[in-house]
Amino acid sequence: MALEKTSEPCDFVLFGTKGDLARRKLLPSLFQLEKANLLHEESRVIGVARQDITNAAYKKQVKQNIEEFGGETLCLDTWKRFSEKLDYVCVDMKDEKSYQVFKDHVDKSRTMVCYLATPPSIFGDICRGLNSAGIIDHSVRVVLEKPIGHDLASSKVINDQVAEFFSEKQIYRIDHYLGKETVLNLVALRFANSIFATNWDHNCIDHVQISVAESVGIEGRWGYFDEAGQMRDMVQNHLLQILTLIAMEPPAVLDADSIRDEKLKVLKALRRITSSNVQSDTVRGQYVSGFVKGKEVPGYLEEEGANTESQTESFVALKVHIDNWRWAGVPFYLRTGKRLPSKTSEVNIFFKRQPHNLFGESFAQLPPNKLTIRLQPDEGVEVTVMNKVPGLTSSGSMDLQKSKLNLSFSETFKDERIADAYEKLLLEVMRGNQALFVRRDEVEQAWSWVDGIFKAWDANNDTPEPYQAGTWGPVASIALLARDNRAWYESRLGKK
Ligand SMILES: NC(=O)C1=CN([C@@H]2O[C@H](COP(=O)(O)OP(=O)(O)OC[C@H]3O[C@@H](n4cnc5c(N)ncnc54)[C@H](OP(=O)(O)O)[C@@H]3O)[C@@H](O)[C@H]2O)C=CC1
Ligand SMILES: O=C1O[C@H](COP(=O)(O)O)[C@@H](O)[C@H](O)[C@H]1O
């Protein structure tokens, strides 16, 4: 993927620079942008945290982060250029007065991006602090991390707090799945290829499966995860965003609001899950100890910091209906979980059978066409097609077999490095393109739908079903599809 350099110098202010996300993802991504010469020569990265350290000490910490999480040997030339861009500001983000110090660090003639990699509970404090220091004007952009809130009500509170100081045009709500190369490719695949564009509805498609499987557990983030659970951590944002890109109508143009208007319509058309269908259409699970990739791992309730009463779900499977013309009668099955056999995300589109069988028994036994979009790893697109087995037969019959048309990104684009999602998104913020960010109404519509599921679970006194770490989730997840005479497509890596 060729990314384009930012044309304007930018002050990129990273609140929460010592946190997990900043260390693992954001700083290494900024470093990669520097390495690819995509940061403007005069741009700066200003880390903000509450520890009182010198700029030199901060640079040392950032260097260690990049060495630890950058995934490659540190390129010293790049580091020299990058470290010259680094600056550090000590702020207690809850104390309005402490923001005055910014005046000495930011240059109002540049574009300013404030990335809030902090708990959402202090987004309002940060905006207020920046405002009291006179830093906010119409050109400043603010990036908000997900999940925004815990439910619709709390997300409205946070969005209102930020909206007091920033207009919607200045707000970039990040969902890092929207920066993944293969998720970006969904739009190209659908709207640049007439073979898909013209077959993308209830006439041709039987059902859709979206699986986002993780092999990791909660990675020492009990405090955060146990409050959130897989539904708020993954479904409310990443899975619903993927779903909207698969299901949306073609936007008139590829600008931010045209795309977001179409995604919003899909979210509005989601059939609500209530206490009458929650049992048939949802499954939630919590892992118990088991083996992942041959290694013994603890159960959810044995994780560091765990409370043994927790009923937080680490797995969710859903049957979702989109009540509109295009998708009438086409179920979308979604599943995501931690401590599954492998880290594999893919979308499988199952097409309908041909209306009439011209080929006899061998054809009847074969599954219909399937389009697999491998989001990660081994990014690519695969179509299963029916093919004649070459050769002569005494009866003259035609034997068919299932074959694959396989586009592997790593083989096809050998010379292109696949950029991390955050690299793409950070560059888009610096460039001022909101197309890959989530609008307030989308976030709130998604919460409203997810809130309905929690309400229904509560009404039914539903609790998560146990599943062994290293398996594909509770048995009920298999039953969810089996009731419809369907089965999850167990992806290639799951078989390894
Ligand atoms: N970690 C991840 O993989 C992901 C995280 N996110 C989101 O990103 C955000 C950050 O997450 P994460 O990095 O994991 O969180 P952490 O708890 O690791 O980091 C939060 C940062 O905020 C700082 N902070 C909190 N309160 C204050 C305060 N009053 N004054 C100054 N600094 C403060 C902390 O400073 P200190 O170091 O001093 O405590 C810390 O550096 C959250 O919204 C999360 O939901 C989203 C996707 C993935
Ligand atoms: O946002 C989050 O995403 C990660 C999974 O992201 P991926 O890019 O590695 O697929 C998830 O592990 C984490 O819990 C969640 O907060």
Side-chain angles (χ1 to χ4, degrees):
M1 173 185 58
L3 298 176
E4 278 170 40
K5 189 177 188 138
T6 53
S7 51
E8 304 288 333
C10 168
D11 277 351
F12 187 92
V13 187
L14 179 51
F15 289 85
T17 189
K18 292 164 66 56
D20 183 75
L21 181 71
R23 289 184 305 115
R24 278 177 198 271
K25 288 286 183 188
L26 305 178
L27 289 163
S29 294
L30 288 164
F31 182 77
Q32 281 299 336
L33 292 179
E34 178 65 58
K35 191 172 173 191
N37 279 314
L38 291 166
L39 293 184
H40 193 282
E41 298 73 19
E42 288 164 33
S43 286
R44 293 176 320 151
V45 174
I46 305 169
V48 186
R50 53 189 152 184
Q51 203 188 9
D52 194 4
I53 52 167
T54 61
N55 202 3
Y58 177 62
K59 287 184 185 187
K60 199 171 158 200
Q61 285 179 5
V62 173
K63 191 172 181 213
Q64 281 166 358
N65 292 163
I66 296 170
E67 281 170 337
E68 188 177 356
F69 298 113
E72 58 187 26
T73 314
L74 188 82
C75 165
L76 290 175
D77 282 350
T78 309
W79 171 249
K80 187 170 177 300
R81 291 199 316 269
F82 188 63
S83 67
E84 281 162 8
K85 294 191 163 80
L86 289 175
D87 188 11
Y88 179 77
V89 182
C90 168
V91 170
D92 179 348
M93 295 182 210
K94 288 190 159 181
D95 176 10
E96 221 173 285
K97 292 190 288 300
S98 72
Y99 288 77
Q100 296 301 327
V101 66
F102 267 111
K103 287 182 178 158
D104 303 332
H105 290 263
V106 296
D107 179 343
K108 294 291 289 285
S109 68
R110 304 155 189 270
T111 304
M112 183 173 171
V113 171
C114 296
Y115 195 116
L116 311 194
T118 67
S121 54
I122 60 167
F123 287 178
D125 295 310
I126 298 173
C127 296
R128 213 167 302 112
L130 287 169
N131 186 53
S132 74
I135 283 167
I136 301 179
D137 64 26
H138 69 278
S139 70
V140 177
R141 297 170 199 153
V142 64
V143 186
L144 308 182
E145 259 300 340
K146 58 119 290 226
I148 297 182
H150 191 74
D151 53 16
L152 177 60
S154 56
S155 97
K156 280 187 170 171
V157 170
I158 295 164
N159 278 322
D160 282 345
Q161 287 170 344
V162 177
E164 229 181 282
F165 304 101
F166 293 96
S167 73
E168 187 61 30
K169 289 270 173 245
Q170 296 172 274
I171 303 174
Y172 292 70
R173 292 181 194 79
I174 219 158
D175 180 314
H176 76 274
Y177 269 61
L178 294 182
K180 287 185 190 274
E181 199 52 56
T182 42
V183 175
L184 291 165
N185 191 46
L186 288 173
V187 172
L189 194 71
R190 284 194 56 196
F191 303 125
N193 295 289
S194 55
I195 51 166
F196 297 128
T198 53
N199 291 305
W200 208 259
D201 63 12
H202 64 99
N203 289 310
C204 300
I205 293 177
D206 176 72
H207 74 284
V208 177
Q209 297 183 10
I210 303 174
S211 291
V212 178
E214 301 186 78
S215 55
V216 293
I218 54 166
E219 301 283 273
R221 295 166 73 207
W222 175 273
Y224 158 75
F225 188 84
D226 196 57
E227 282 290 307
Q230 199 72 354
M231 181 70 112
R232 295 184 175 95
D233 188 44
M234 296 294 289
V235 178
Q236 188 272 344
N237 32 78
H238 306 321
L239 274 89
L240 286 184
Q241 284 295 320
I242 296 171
L243 179 142
T244 59
L245 290 172
I246 293 167
M248 71 180 185
E249 296 302 315
V253 285
L254 284 184
D255 68 21
D257 277 336
S258 304
I259 297 173
R260 299 187 300 180
D261 286 347
E262 296 307 334
K263 289 197 291 164
L264 179 65
K265 285 183 205 160
V266 175
L267 293 168
K268 285 185 173 169
L270 294 180
R271 188 181 301 169
R272 300 199 65 92
I273 294 179
T274 63
S275 54
S276 65
N277 57 349
V278 73
Q279 232 137 24
S280 60
D281 292 359
T282 74
V283 175
R284 59 173 164 167
Q286 190 184 73
Y287 59 86
V288 296
S289 60
F291 289 82
V292 177
K293 296 176 186 159
K295 188 171 165 262
E296 191 166 9
V297 295
Y300 181 74
L301 299 180
E302 293 133 27
E303 294 282 8
E304 193 191 328
N307 109 42
T308 51
E309 300 294 309
S310 171
Q311 296 198 335
T312 297
E313 77 289 344
S314 58
F315 177 95
V316 179
L318 304 172
K319 178 178 171 182
V320 177
H321 292 279
I322 301 173
D323 284 330
N324 65 16
W325 195 280
R326 184 185 285 268
W327 296 114
V330 181
F332 282 62
Y333 299 96
L334 274 50
R335 72 174 162 174
T336 178
K338 306 233 185 275
R339 289 284 191 230
L340 301 188
S342 62
K343 180 176 175 67
T344 316
S345 302
E346 44 183 52
V347 177
N348 283 288
I349 316 266
F350 291 79
F351 288 85
K352 288 189 167 163
R353 281 193 179 279
Q354 295 295 70
H356 176 63
N357 180 358
L358 288 177
F359 303 98
E361 196 47 25
S362 73
F363 184 56
Q365 299 303 322
L366 294 173
N369 299 119
K370 173 167 63 65
L371 166 66
T372 298
I373 301 158
R374 298 192 299 265
L375 302 178
Q376 61 185 24
D378 186 21
E379 290 81 355
V381 178
E382 186 180 292
V383 187
T384 56
V385 292
M386 303 315 132
N387 211 49
K388 179 186 174 301
V389 181
L392 308 173
T393 56
S394 55
S395 66
S397 68
M398 218 191 265
D399 283 345
L400 301 191
Q401 76 171 22
K402 187 180 80 172
S403 317
K404 286 179 182 172
L405 304 178
N406 190 1
L407 165 74
S408 157
F409 281 21
S410 61
E411 281 169 26
T412 308
F413 307 107
K414 275 198 184 71
D415 300 330
E416 294 283 344
R417 171 181 165 269
I418 295 189
D420 185 87
Y422 277 101
E423 293 172 36
K424 171 79 179 157
L425 295 175
L426 297 181
L427 205 54
E428 293 305 309
V429 182
M430 291 187 225
R431 232 187 249 134
N433 174 15
Q434 286 187 306
L436 302 182
F437 298 85
V438 188
R439 210 167 55 191
R440 175 173 181 160
D441 46 9
E442 287 181 81
V443 173
E444 294 185 354
Q445 191 64 40
W447 272 127
S448 158
W449 186 76
V450 161
D451 281 359
I453 301 178
F454 279 110
K455 204 168 147 207
W457 276 340
D458 286 348
N460 284 26
N461 285 326
D462 210 51
T463 53
E465 294 180 39
Y467 64 96
Q468 213 179 359
T471 66
W472 284 102
V475 181
S477 164
I478 298 169
L480 178 78
L481 272 73
R483 281 195 290 277
D484 298 338
N485 286 322
R486 297 186 176 112
W488 290 108
Y489 177 67
E490 294 305 8
S491 34
R492 64 235 129 87
L493 293 180
K495 291 177 190 143
K496 274 192 182 167

